[in-house]
C-alpha cells in the first residue's frame, strides 16, 4: 500500500519539474523577444580629428653630384669605398700623372724662353737700335754739312755738278737709313710691334703653363662637396675617359622625401602641409616633414602626381633611397563629433557628404540621416543628425530599422576613436 502511494508522488514531482523548466525557457525566450537582438553598439564621442593622405616614397637629396674625370688616364688609387661619408676636397681618385708632369715641365721651359727673349729685346736689341739711330743721325749731319759746303764751292765754280750730285745722293741714303733705324727702335720700345710680340709670346707661354698645371691637377679628383658616396664605378688599373661618370655623391644638407600621390587626392594637397613619416626599416621612429613641391604634371600611365617633402631634422637612420611611409595632414578638426565608418550606410564613396545610421532610441534601432564632414582612417565627422553619447548599430549587425535591440558598448569603442582619428 505504501509503494503504490509513493509512485504517483514521484511522477507528480517530475511533471512539476518539467513544467517549471518549460516556464523558465518560455520566460527567457519571451524576454529575448521583447528585448530584441543583442548588438555591440558604438558610442558617438568627440575627439580631435585629423584627415591624412597616406603615401609611400623614398628618401632623396634635392640633387646628386656625379663625379667624372676631366682627362683620359689610368687609375692608380681609389682611397674611398661606396657608402662612405667624405668631406669636401677629400681625395676620391688618383690618376697616373707622369705624362702630365712632363707636359708641365715643357710648358715651364717655354715660359722661361719667352721671358728670356723679352729681356733680350729690352736689354740688348733696344740699346743697339738706339745706338744705330744716333750713328745714322751723325752720318746724316756730316753729309748735310758737306753738301752745303760743296754747294757753295759749286756756285763759285770750284767743283763740278757730278761731285755735287754724288754728295746729294749720300745725304738721301743717310736719311733713309735714319728713318729705317728709327722704325726699328720704335718697334722695340713699349707699344712697338716687336715689344708687343714678345709680350704676347710670354703671355701665351704662361697660359700654356696654366693649362698644363690644370691638367696635372685633374689627375687627382677631389670631392666637390661633403656627402655620402652612393655609387662607385671605378677600380685601380682602369683606364678612364674624360666625362665618364666614376662616382655618385649624395651631398650633405637638406633631405627630401619623394612620393607618388593618387591624382584623386590632388585637390586635398597644398604646399606647407605638415606630415609624419617613418622609414619602413624603422617604423617606430617617426619624424616630421613638410610638403614643399607638387608636380604640376600628372603621370598619364600611373595616374599619380609626384610630391616632395622637406625633412627639417632627419634621423640618423635615414639613408639615401630608403623606403618611407608618409601621412600628410590635409585637414584638422578640433573636438569633432565622430561616428565609425562601420555604422554608415548610403554614404556613396569615401568623400560622401551624407549617409544614414541606425541610432538606438528607446530600445529600438531607428534609421536617421546624417550630414558628414571629414572622413579618414575608418571614422567620419558628423555635422548634423547625431549627438554626443548616441549609440549606433554597426552595419554588419544586420538589424532592421524599427527592430528591438539589446546593446552592449565595447570598452575600447570610445578610446579607439582618439588613436584612429589621429592616424
Amino acid at each position: 500500500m505504501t509503494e503504490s502511494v509513493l509512485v504517483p508522488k514521484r511522477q507528480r514531482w517530475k511533471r512539476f519539474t518539467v513544467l517549471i523548466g518549460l516556464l523558465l525557457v518560455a520566460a527567457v525566450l519571451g524576454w529575448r523577444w521583447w528585448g530584441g537582438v543583442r548588438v555591440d553598439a558604438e558610442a558617438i564621442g568627440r575627439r580631435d580629428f585629423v584627415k591624412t593622405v597616406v603615401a609611400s616614397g623614398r628618401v632623396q637629396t634635392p640633387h646628386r653630384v656625379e663625379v667624372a674625370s676631366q682627362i683620359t688616364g689610368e687609375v692608380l688609387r681609389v682611397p674611398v669605398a661606396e657608402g662612405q661619408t667624405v668631406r669636401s676636397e677629400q681625395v676620391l681618385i688618383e690618376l697616373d700623372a707622369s705624362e702630365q708632369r712632363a707636359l708641365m715641365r715643357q710648358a715651364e721651359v717655354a715660359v722661361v724662353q719667352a721671358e728670356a727673349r723679352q729681356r733680350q729685346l729690352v736689354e740688348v736689341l733696344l740699346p743697339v737700335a738706339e745706338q744705330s739711330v744716333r750713328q745714322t743721325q751723325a752720318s746724316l749731319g756730316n753729309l748735310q754739312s758737306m753738301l752745303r759746303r760743296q754747294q757753295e764751292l759749286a756756285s763759285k765754280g770750284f767743283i763740278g755738278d757730278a761731285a755735287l750730285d754724288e754728295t746729294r745722293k749720300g745725304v738721301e741714303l743717310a736719311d733713309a737709313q735714319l728713318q729705317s733705324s728709327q722704325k726699328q727702335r720704335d718697334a722695340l720700345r713699349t707699344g712697338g710691334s716687336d715689344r708687343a710680340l714678345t709680350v704676347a709670346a710670354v703671355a701665351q707661354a704662361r697660359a700654356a703653363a696654366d693649362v698644363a698645371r690644370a691638367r696635372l691637377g685633374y689627375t687627382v679628383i677631389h670631392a666637390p662637396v661633403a656627402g655620402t658616396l652612393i655609387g662607385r664605378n671605378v677600380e685601380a688599373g682602369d683606364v678612364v675617359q674624360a666625362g665618364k661618370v666614376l662616382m655618385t655623391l649624395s651631398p650633405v644638407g637638406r633631405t627630401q622625401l619623394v612620393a607618388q600621390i593618387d591624382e584623386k587626392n590632388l585637390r586635398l594637397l597644398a604646399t606647407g602641409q605638415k606630415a609624419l613619416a617613418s622609414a619602413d626599416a624603422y617604423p617606430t621612429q617617426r619624424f616630421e616633414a613638410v610638403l614643399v613641391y607638387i608636380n604640376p604634371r600628372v603621370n598619364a600611365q600611373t595616374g599619380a602626381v609626384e610630391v616632395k617633402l622637406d625633412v627639417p631634422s632627419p634621423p640618423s637612420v635615414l639613408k639615401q633611397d630608403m623606403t618611407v611611409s608618409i601621412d600628410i595632414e590635409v585637414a584638422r578638426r578640433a573636438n569633432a563629433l565622430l561616428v565609425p565608418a562601420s555604422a554608415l550606410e548610403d554614404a556613396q564613396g569615401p568623400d560622401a557628404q551624407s549617409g544614414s545610421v541606425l541610432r538606438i532610441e528607446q530600445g529600438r534601432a531607428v534609421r536617421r540621416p546624417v550630414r558628414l564632414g571629414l572622413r579618414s582612417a575608418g571614422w567620419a565627422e558628423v555635422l548634423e543628425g547625431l549627438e554626443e553619447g548616441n549609440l549606433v548599430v554597426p552595419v554588419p549587425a544586420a538589424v532592421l530599422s524599427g527592430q528591438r535591440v539589446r546593446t552592449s558598448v565595447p570598452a575600447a569603442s570610445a578610446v579607439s576613436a582618439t588613436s584612429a582619428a589621429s592616424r
Side-chain angles (χ1 to χ4, degrees):
M1 182 69 181
T2 304
E3 291 181 358
S4 63
V5 173
L6 290 175
V7 171
K9 287 183 178 180
R10 289 176 181 175
Q11 291 177 347
R12 286 195 300 270
W13 176 250
K14 288 180 179 180
R15 291 173 183 172
F16 178 76
T17 304
V18 171
L19 180 60
I20 294 297
L22 292 174
L23 290 175
L24 289 174
V25 170
V28 169
L29 293 175
W31 171 254
R32 288 185 176 181
W33 175 83
W34 177 256
V37 179
R38 185 177 185 84
V39 294
D40 291 331
E42 298 278 359
I44 303 301
R46 291 187 176 275
R47 302 288 185 273
D48 290 341
F49 186 57
V50 176
K51 181 178 179 63
T52 60
V53 172
V54 180
S56 179
R58 290 193 175 276
V59 178
Q60 285 188 9
T61 52
H63 67 282
R64 301 184 185 187
V65 178
E66 293 183 336
V67 180
S69 174
Q70 293 179 274
I71 60 173
T72 299
E74 181 182 355
V75 178
L76 291 183
R77 192 168 70 96
V78 185
V80 292
E82 187 174 357
Q84 179 178 337
T85 300
V86 298
R87 62 184 181 278
S88 179
E89 297 301 322
Q90 182 174 340
V91 175
L92 302 180
I93 303 169
E94 289 185 15
L95 304 179
D96 183 8
S98 56
E99 180 182 354
Q100 302 303 326
R101 275 193 288 266
L103 293 173
M104 179 64 195
R105 288 193 295 269
Q106 183 179 359
E108 289 174 344
V109 170
V111 171
V112 172
Q113 290 176 340
E115 291 175 343
R117 283 193 294 270
Q118 187 178 39
R119 288 197 304 272
Q120 182 185 33
L121 183 147
V122 176
E123 298 172 2
V124 178
L125 297 180
L126 180 58
V128 169
E130 289 176 344
Q131 181 63 30
S132 177
V133 169
R134 286 192 293 270
Q135 288 176 352
T136 55
Q137 284 176 338
S139 297
L140 178 61
N142 291 334
L143 289 172
Q144 288 174 339
S145 297
M146 184 182 296
L147 178 61
R148 284 192 296 272
R149 288 194 299 271
Q150 288 182 349
Q151 286 174 340
E152 291 175 0
L153 292 174
S155 64
K156 297 177 180 179
F158 293 113
I159 61 172
D161 291 339
L164 186 61
D165 289 341
E166 186 69 25
T167 304
R168 188 179 288 111
K169 290 179 181 178
V171 171
E172 292 176 355
L173 179 60
D175 184 61
Q177 290 176 344
L178 176 61
Q179 291 181 11
S180 176
S181 60
Q182 286 175 338
K183 289 181 179 179
Q184 290 178 357
R185 179 202 60 187
D186 293 342
L188 297 173
R189 285 180 172 177
T190 302
S193 58
D194 287 350
R195 176 68 72 86
L197 286 174
T198 58
V199 171
V202 171
Q204 184 177 10
R206 288 175 177 170
D210 290 340
V211 171
R213 189 176 299 108
R215 292 181 67 84
L216 179 60
Y218 294 157
T219 60
V220 180
I221 302 175
H222 300 85
V225 294
T228 303
L229 287 177
I230 60 175
R232 169 182 156 169
N233 306 313
V234 63
E235 297 294 340
D238 292 348
V239 176
V240 298
Q241 302 295 322
K244 180 182 178 182
V245 176
L246 305 177
M247 292 183 176
T248 303
L249 181 65
S250 174
V252 173
R254 190 175 55 164
T255 299
Q256 284 189 333
L257 309 179
V258 179
Q260 304 295 323
I261 304 293
D262 194 306
E263 63 178 315
K264 68 182 181 182
N265 294 318
L266 183 58
R267 62 184 176 79
L268 303 174
L269 301 178
T271 55
Q273 290 174 338
K274 297 181 179 180
L276 284 177
S278 62
D280 288 1
Y282 304 93
T284 60
Q285 299 188 32
R286 294 173 69 80
F287 53 90
E288 295 181 350
V290 180
L291 183 62
V292 296
Y293 172 77
I294 303 172
N295 195 319
R297 177 178 174 274
V298 178
N299 189 308
Q301 281 71 38
T302 64
V305 180
E306 183 181 77
V307 299
K308 295 181 180 180
L309 300 94
D310 275 351
V311 182
S313 301
S316 58
V317 299
L318 224 54
K319 307 295 182 184
Q320 183 71 27
D321 294 325
M322 182 177 278
T323 303
V324 292
S325 297
I326 309 167
D327 292 341
I328 304 174
E329 180 181 320
V330 297
R332 175 182 289 269
R333 295 285 190 274
N335 199 32
L337 186 64
L338 301 182
V339 62
S342 60
L344 288 174
E345 291 190 81
D346 305 322
Q348 303 298 323
D351 297 322
Q353 299 300 303
S354 63
S356 64
V357 296
L358 286 175
R359 187 175 68 181
I360 297 177
E361 301 175 6
Q362 299 180 352
R364 294 181 181 274
V366 180
R367 185 169 302 283
R368 298 296 183 188
V370 291
R371 190 164 67 88
L372 305 175
L374 297 180
R375 299 182 65 180
S376 180
W379 294 85
E381 178 189 16
V382 179
L383 302 180
E384 291 180 2
L386 293 175
E387 296 180 357
E388 185 176 3
N390 287 166
L391 298 179
V392 294
V393 179
V395 173
V399 176
L400 300 177
S401 180
Q403 186 176 351
R404 288 185 174 276
V405 293
R406 292 179 295 115
T407 62
S408 63
V409 181
S413 175
V415 178
S416 61
T418 302
S419 58
S422 301
R423 285 200 300 268

